[in-house]
C-alpha cells in the first residue's frame, strides 16, 4: 500500500522536481516508511511507501527494471507474484517482493502482463525509450488513480488532493458531477469534484504519449458470462468454498503483522475463520464493542474468536467517541463521501495495536444477495412483462405519493421507472436524493452542466451484456459498477490510508466473483440472506452467528445534527447555498424542514450537503 504520483511535461527538471515533491508530500499518510523520486528531462515520478513485502531499502520506489528502460511507481499488492516470478527464470531479481516482479513482467510481455496480475493495484510505468507512460488500475478499482491532462502535461496521483497540491490545476468545482454525488453519496467514475481531474476507470489502462492519452479496457465485469454453468449444487458449494479459501490465503502474503476486522457478522466471521485455518500466525482480530446492548455484536465476535483460537482485541467505544473522531475523519476524505466514519475509527484502532494490514469482509452482501433488493428485483423481473406494460398506470400511482415525502422516495422511483431493466430500477434502490428534491434544490444551470446521469448511462451502455446474466447477478453487477466502486471501496482506501493501514478484501477476488456471477439463480436465491455463501461453508461458523438477526451500530447522526453538530452543519449549509448552483432559499428551507422533522427528511439526505461544503472549503475549490 503506497501513494504514487507523476508529472510529465516540458517545464524543466528543477520545476518538475519541486512539483513532484509538493504532490508527494501531500500523501505522506499513505506511505510513512519511505519516499522516493525519479526526475529526468520531461518526467518526474514520486512514491510514498508503506512497507508490506520485502522491507529492505532495495525495494524502495520508483523502481527501474534490470535494463534501465522502464521506471515504475506502484501502489497495491500482487498476491500471485511468486507464480509470475517463476515464469521469469532468466530475470536477475535483486528483491523478494512483488514490485520487481511487476516491472519484470512488463519488460517481457508489455501491457499483456497486466492480465496475469491477481490483486489490487494502480501503477505507472515510464518507457525511457518510447517517451511514454503506461498507467493501469485493478479490475474492481480497489486502488485509486486520478489524473489531470492539459496540452502536453499530465499529472497523476493516488489522491485528488495531491494533484491539487501541485499548484498547476485550477481549483474549480465540477458541476457536471454534482448530481451524481447527491444521488449516490459519492462521485461516480470517471468524474471527481474537481473540473478536469478524472478517475482512471477500474479495469482500464491508459497510455500517455506526445501529449495525447488513449485508454483501453482490459477487464469488464459485464463480459464475464460463461457459456457453461454448473448444474450440480454440491459442485457449486465446493467451488465457492475453495475459491474463498484461495482468496483469503492470497491476501495473507505479508512481511508485517496482519489482522482482520471482526464485526460478528457472517462475512467478517468467515474471513477470520478461514484465516485461522490457513495461517495461524495471521490470526489477530479486532472488534468494536458498545455499551448499548442493542448495537453490540461483541458476544457473537467472541464466539468466533473462541472457536478458532484467534488473538481477539476488543475496542470499547461510545457514540461520543465517533463524534470526537468526526472532524479528523472528514478531514481525511480525499473525495467527499456520505459514509466512512466506521471505517476510519476501526482503522485507527487497529493501527494503534501495531497492525499494518487488515482483512475486511466487505463485499459479501453484494456478491451473495445479502440485501432485500435482490429478492425485490427478482420478483419484479418475474412479472417484468406486466411491470413494463403498466408504465402509465404505475406513473399514475407514483403521482399519488407526495413529492416532498422523502421516506417514500425509493418506492416513488420504482413506480416511475421506465422499465424493469436494472439500469432503470437500480438507481432508485441506491439513491440518496430523489429527482424531485434535486429539481427543487439545484439551479437550471447546474442541471445543464450535469449533462446526464453517469451511472445510469453506464448501465444502459452495458444493457445487452448485463441481460445475459441471471437476475440476481444483474444486481451484483450494478452494485460493482455503482455502490462498491463509488462508496464501499473508495471509503475503505481513503479511511484506511488515513491511518496508514492497508485493507484487503477477499470478497473482491476476481476469480471468486467471476464464478459466483455465473452460478444460476436457483442455487443463489436468498431464501435467507447469503444462503449460497452460508451453505458453501456449512459447519464452519457457530449457528448463533449464522442464524442471528442482522444488527449493527447505527451512528446517531440524526441526534448529533440537531444538537452537537447543529452549528457545524448549519454554517456549511449556509455557505453552500451561496455557491450559485443551488437555489439558496430552497436549500436553507430544506435544512429548516429537516430540523423541524418535516417531510420525512433523513439525516443522510442533509449530511451529503454538509460533507460536500466541508470538502470544498478544506481544499479551496470554488
Amino acid at each position: 500500500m503506497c501513494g504514487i504520483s507523476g508529472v510529465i511535461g516540458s517545464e524543466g527538471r528543477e520545476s518538475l522536481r519541486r512539483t513532484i515533491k509538493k504532490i508527494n508530500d501531500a500523501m505522506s499518510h499513505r506511505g510513512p516508511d519511505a519516499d522516493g523520486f525519479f526526475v529526468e528531462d520531461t518526467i518526474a515520478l514520486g512514491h510514498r511507501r508503506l512497507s508490506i513485502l520485502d522491507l529492505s531499502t532495495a525495494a524502495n520506489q520508483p523502481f527501474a527494471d534490470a535494463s534501465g528502460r522502464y521506471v515504475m511507481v506502484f501502489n497495491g499488492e500482487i498476491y500471485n507474484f511468486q507464480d509470475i516470478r517463476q515464469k521469469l527464470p532468466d530475470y536477475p531479481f535483486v528483491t523478494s517482493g512483488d514490485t520487481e516482479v511487476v516491472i519484470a513482467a512488463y519488460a517481457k510481455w508489455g501491457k499483456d502482463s497486466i492480465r496475469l496480475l491477481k490483486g489490487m493495484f494502480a501503477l505507472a510505468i515510464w518507457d525511457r525509450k518510447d517517451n511514454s507512460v503506461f498507467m493501469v488500475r485493478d479490475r474492481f478499482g480497489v486502488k485509486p488513480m486520478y489524473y489531470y491532462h492539459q496540452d502536453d502535461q499530465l499529472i497523476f496521483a493516488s489522491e485528488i488532493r495531491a494533484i491539487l497540491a501541485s499548484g498547476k490545476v485550477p481549483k474549480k468545482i465540477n458541476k457536471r458531477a454534482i448530481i451524481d454525488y447527491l444521488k449516490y453519496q459519492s462521485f461516480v467514475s470517471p468524474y471527481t469534484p474537481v473540473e478536469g481531474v478524472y478517475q482512471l476507470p477500474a479495469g482500464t489502462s491508459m497510455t500517455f504519449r506526445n501529449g495525447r492519452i488513449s485508454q483501453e479496457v482490459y477487464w469488464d465485469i459485464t463480459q464475464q458470462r460463461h457459456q457453461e454453468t454448473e448444474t450440480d449444487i454440491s459442485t457449486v458449494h465446493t467451488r465457492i468454498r475453495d475459491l474463498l479459501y484461495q482468496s483469503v490465503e492470497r491476501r495473507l502474503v505479508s512481511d508485517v503483522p496482519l489482522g482482520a476486522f471482526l464485526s460478528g457478522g457472517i462475512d467478517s466471521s468467515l474471513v477470520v475463520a478461514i484465516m485461522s485455518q490457513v495461517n495461524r500466525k495471521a490470526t489477530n482480530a479486532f472488534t468494536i464493542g458498545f455499551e448499548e446492548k442493542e448495537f453490540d455484536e461483541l458476544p457473537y465476535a467472541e464466539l468466533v474468536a473462541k472457536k478458532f483460537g484467534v488473538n481477539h482485541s476488543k475496542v470499547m467505544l461510545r457514540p461520543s467517541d465517533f463524534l470526537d473522531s468526526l472532524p479528523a475523519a472528514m478531514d481525511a476524505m480525499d473525495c467527499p463521501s456520505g459514509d466512512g466514519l466506521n471505517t476510519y475509527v476501526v482503522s485507527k484502532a487497529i493501527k494503534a495495536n501495531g497492525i499494518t494490514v487488515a482483512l475486511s469482509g466487505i463485499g459479501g452482501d453484494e456478491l451473495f444477495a445479502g440485501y432485500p433488493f435482490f429478492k425485490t428485483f427478482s420478483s419484479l423481473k418475474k412479472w417484468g412483462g406486466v411491470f413494463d406494460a403498466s408504465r402509465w398506470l404505475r406513473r399514475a400511482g407514483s403521482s399519488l405519493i407526495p413529492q416532498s415525502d422523502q421516506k417514500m422516495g425509493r418506492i416513488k422511483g420504482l413506480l416511475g421507472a421506465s422499465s424493469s431493466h436494472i439500469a432503470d430500477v437500480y438507481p432508485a434502490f441506491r439513491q440518496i436524493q430523489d429527482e424531485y428534491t434535486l429539481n427543487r434544490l439545484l439551479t437550471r444551470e447546474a442541471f445543464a452542466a450535469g449533462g446526464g446521469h453517469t451511472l445510469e448511462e453506464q448501465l444502459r451502455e452495458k444493457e445487452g451484456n448485463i441481460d445475459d446474466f441471471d437476475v440476481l447477478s444483474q444486481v451484483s453487477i450494478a452494485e460493482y459498477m455503482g455502490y462498491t466502486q463509488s462508496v464501499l471501496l473508495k471509503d475503505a482506501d481513503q479511511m484506511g490510508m488515513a491511518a496508514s493501514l492497508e485493507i484487503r478484501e477477499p470478497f473482491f477476488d476476481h476469480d471468486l466473483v467471476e464464478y459466483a456471477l455465473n452460478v444460476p439463480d436457483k442455487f443463489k436465491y436468498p431464501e435467507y440472506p447469503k444462503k449460497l455463501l452460508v451453505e458453501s461453508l456449512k459447519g464452519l461458523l457457530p449457528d448463533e452467528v449464522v442464524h442471528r438477526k442482522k444488527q449493527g451500530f447505527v451512528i446517531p447522526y440524526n441526534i448529533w445534527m440537531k444538537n452537537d453538530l447543529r452549528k457545524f452543519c448549519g454554517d456549511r449549509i449556509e455557505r453552500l447555498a451561496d455557491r450559485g448552483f443551488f437555489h439558496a432559499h430552497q436549500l436553507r428551507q430544506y435544512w429548516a424542514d429537516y430540523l423541524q422533522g418535516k417531510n420525512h427528511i433523513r439525516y443522510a439526505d442533509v449530511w451529503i450537503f454538509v460533507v460536500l461544503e466541508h470538502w470544498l472549503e478544506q481544499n479551496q475549490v470554488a
Side-chain angles (χ1 to χ4, degrees):
M1 185 75 72
C2 307
I4 64 174
S5 56
V7 181
I8 301 96
S10 54
E11 58 186 270
R13 185 172 296 192
E14 286 307 310
S15 179
L16 285 170
R17 191 183 303 277
R18 288 192 298 270
T19 301
I20 199 66
K21 189 175 189 309
K22 291 178 184 177
I23 297 173
N24 222 37
D25 287 348
M27 297 188 295
S28 59
H29 53 282
R30 294 190 72 92
D33 297 329
D35 65 346
F37 302 94
F38 169 85
V39 183
E40 75 173 17
D41 300 332
T42 61
I43 185 169
L45 299 175
H47 187 263
R48 300 291 319 199
R49 186 181 184 195
L50 179 63
S51 301
I52 305 293
L53 294 172
D54 190 341
L55 308 184
S56 71
T57 57
N60 286 350
Q61 299 181 44
F63 199 98
D65 77 308
S67 72
R69 174 176 175 176
Y70 303 106
V71 183
M72 180 181 71
V73 284
F74 162 59
N75 170 30
E77 304 295 339
I78 306 303
Y79 305 124
N80 66 328
F81 76 94
Q82 294 284 16
D83 295 334
I84 299 173
R85 181 171 178 145
Q86 292 179 8
K87 301 177 187 295
L88 300 162
D90 299 326
Y91 189 87
F93 287 100
V94 296
T95 66
S96 60
D98 55 352
T99 299
E100 190 173 14
V101 172
V102 173
I103 198 168
Y106 185 83
K108 183 175 179 63
W109 297 299
K111 64 182 181 181
D112 290 339
S113 63
I114 301 304
R115 301 180 187 277
L116 299 175
L117 306 183
K118 296 185 177 182
M120 53 182 189
F121 53 88
L123 59 89
I125 299 175
W126 173 248
D127 185 336
R128 302 170 78 181
K129 180 179 178 180
D130 192 41
N131 289 322
S132 65
V133 65
F134 174 79
M135 302 161 57
V136 68
R137 194 171 176 208
D138 65 66
R139 294 167 179 83
F140 294 108
V142 179
K143 295 292 101 190
M145 176 72 88
Y146 300 96
Y147 67 93
Y148 173 79
H149 174 221
Q150 181 68 36
D151 299 326
D152 66 342
Q153 185 178 70
L154 179 73
I155 302 174
F156 67 86
S158 298
E159 295 194 355
I160 300 168
R161 294 174 300 183
I163 292 178
L164 295 180
S166 69
K168 298 182 178 299
V169 178
K171 293 185 176 182
K172 187 175 181 181
I173 189 169
N174 184 4
K175 294 180 181 178
R176 175 183 176 90
I178 291 296
I179 296 175
D180 263 340
Y181 167 75
L182 296 176
K183 290 188 73 173
Y184 303 115
Q185 66 180 321
S186 188
F187 288 82
V188 178
S189 178
Y191 300 112
T192 74
V194 182
E195 188 173 299
V197 177
Y198 296 92
Q199 305 177 53
L200 181 64
T204 302
S205 66
M206 185 173 92
T207 301
F208 180 74
R209 181 187 293 110
N210 297 326
R212 296 182 178 181
I213 62 174
S214 60
Q215 295 188 4
E216 180 180 343
V217 176
Y218 70 90
W219 190 85
D220 181 345
I221 194 169
T222 71
Q223 295 181 359
Q224 305 307 316
R225 180 61 169 164
H226 300 165
Q227 294 300 315
E228 296 182 3
T229 58
E230 300 287 0
T231 58
D232 177 62
I233 186 59
S234 63
T235 302
V236 172
H237 287 162
T238 299
R239 187 64 177 143
I240 292 290
R241 183 184 182 95
D242 290 347
L243 285 169
L244 189 53
Y245 267 77
Q246 174 183 271
S247 178
V248 172
E249 185 172 16
R250 284 174 175 171
R251 285 157 179 78
L252 296 181
V253 177
S254 173
D255 292 331
V256 296
L258 287 141
F261 296 84
L262 177 58
S263 70
I266 291 174
D267 302 329
S268 66
S269 296
L270 283 174
V271 169
V272 169
I274 296 171
M275 280 178 65
S276 71
Q277 296 180 346
V278 171
N279 185 346
R280 292 298 307 169
K281 296 180 181 179
T283 51
N284 296 294
F286 295 84
T287 301
I288 299 297
F290 303 98
E291 296 174 357
E292 297 81 0
K293 296 302 179 183
E294 66 270 27
F295 300 133
D296 191 33
E297 296 184 292
L298 188 55
Y300 300 104
E302 288 178 331
L303 277 175
V304 174
K306 183 177 180 179
K307 178 175 181 178
F308 296 100
V310 304
N311 179 23
H312 190 209
S313 298
K314 292 152 280 190
V315 182
M316 299 302 296
L317 294 176
R318 300 162 299 169
S320 59
D321 294 316
F322 284 78
L323 180 61
D324 294 341
S325 298
L326 191 60
M330 292 186 70
D331 290 346
M333 287 185 187
D334 179 56
C335 188
S337 171
D339 207 349
L341 180 56
N342 272 358
T343 304
Y344 178 82
V345 174
V346 177
S347 296
K348 282 284 190 182
I350 292 178
K351 184 65 176 182
N353 279 269
I355 300 297
T356 303
V357 179
L359 271 64
S360 167
I362 62 171
D365 285 318
E366 290 75 16
L367 185 58
F368 290 103
Y371 298 127
F373 180 68
F374 281 87
K375 293 180 74 171
T376 300
F377 186 65
S378 181
S379 297
L380 187 153
K381 293 298 286 187
K382 183 178 180 181
W383 301 97
V386 176
F387 184 90
D388 293 345
S390 63
R391 180 178 179 182
W392 299 111
L393 182 61
R394 287 187 287 104
R395 290 194 170 181
S398 175
S399 67
L400 297 177
I401 299 174
Q403 290 183 319
S404 59
D405 189 344
Q406 294 205 227
K407 185 177 181 180
M408 298 294 288
R410 288 182 179 175
I411 294 176
K412 189 176 180 67
L414 287 172
L415 288 174
S418 298
S419 75
S420 59
H421 187 266
I422 191 68
D424 293 314
V425 176
Y426 176 76
F429 162 63
R430 275 298 180 189
Q431 69 183 11
I432 298 295
Q433 289 292 358
D434 56 40
E435 293 290 342
Y436 168 77
T437 304
L438 292 176
N439 275 297
R440 183 160 64 96
L441 299 181
L442 288 169
T443 65
R444 186 171 300 176
E445 290 76 16
F447 270 97
H453 303 311
T454 308
L455 179 57
E456 289 93 319
E457 289 175 347
Q458 292 176 4
L459 288 168
R460 288 194 182 97
E461 287 171 3
K462 303 293 184 180
E463 181 174 344
N465 291 340
I466 295 174
D467 282 344
D468 287 340
F469 288 84
D470 279 11
V471 170
L472 297 175
S473 291
Q474 291 182 28
V475 179
S476 292
I477 290 171
E479 285 283 75
Y480 286 123
M481 294 176 67
Y483 175 71
T484 60
Q485 275 195 57
S486 300
V487 180
L488 197 62
L489 291 174
K490 191 178 292 182
D491 283 347
D493 178 81
Q494 65 181 357
M495 294 307 190
M497 287 315 302
S500 299
L501 178 76
E502 173 171 302
I503 299 176
R504 299 176 177 178
E505 302 95 353
F507 285 103
F508 284 95
D509 182 277
H510 76 273
D511 288 332
L512 172 64
V513 169
E514 287 179 15
Y515 181 82
L517 288 179
N518 283 278
V519 172
D521 277 1
K522 64 180 180 181
F523 298 147
K524 196 188 297 182
Y525 188 79
E527 295 168 358
Y528 58 88
K530 292 175 282 194
K531 177 175 180 285
L532 176 61
L533 175 63
V534 169
E535 293 186 352
S536 295
L537 291 107
K538 190 173 183 179
L540 188 59
L541 297 181
D543 288 342
E544 297 92 328
V545 171
V546 173
H547 298 295
R548 71 181 180 88
K549 182 180 178 181
K550 187 178 180 66
Q551 65 186 86
F553 182 65
V554 179
I555 300 176
Y557 279 104
N558 194 49
I559 297 174
W560 293 347
M561 290 170 66
K562 294 181 178 181
N563 295 279
D564 304 69
L565 293 176
R566 181 167 179 159
K567 185 177 187 306
F568 177 88
C569 295
D571 289 347
R572 281 151 184 78
I573 293 289
E574 282 289 324
R575 294 195 288 270
L576 184 64
D578 291 331
R579 285 191 176 267
F581 47 89
F582 287 101
H583 292 298
H585 172 72
Q586 292 286 6
L587 184 57
R588 292 185 177 109
Q589 186 60 51
Y590 190 72
W591 167 241
D593 288 347
Y594 166 71
L595 292 175
Q596 295 170 26
K598 293 182 178 180
N599 299 324
H600 297 106
I601 300 174
R602 304 158 299 182
Y603 81 82
D605 301 326
V606 180
W607 182 244
I608 53 176
F609 295 107
V610 177
V611 172
L612 177 62
E613 177 61 23
H614 185 85
W615 191 92
L616 294 173
E617 290 178 10
Q618 185 186 40
N619 294 281
Q620 300 177 338
V621 175

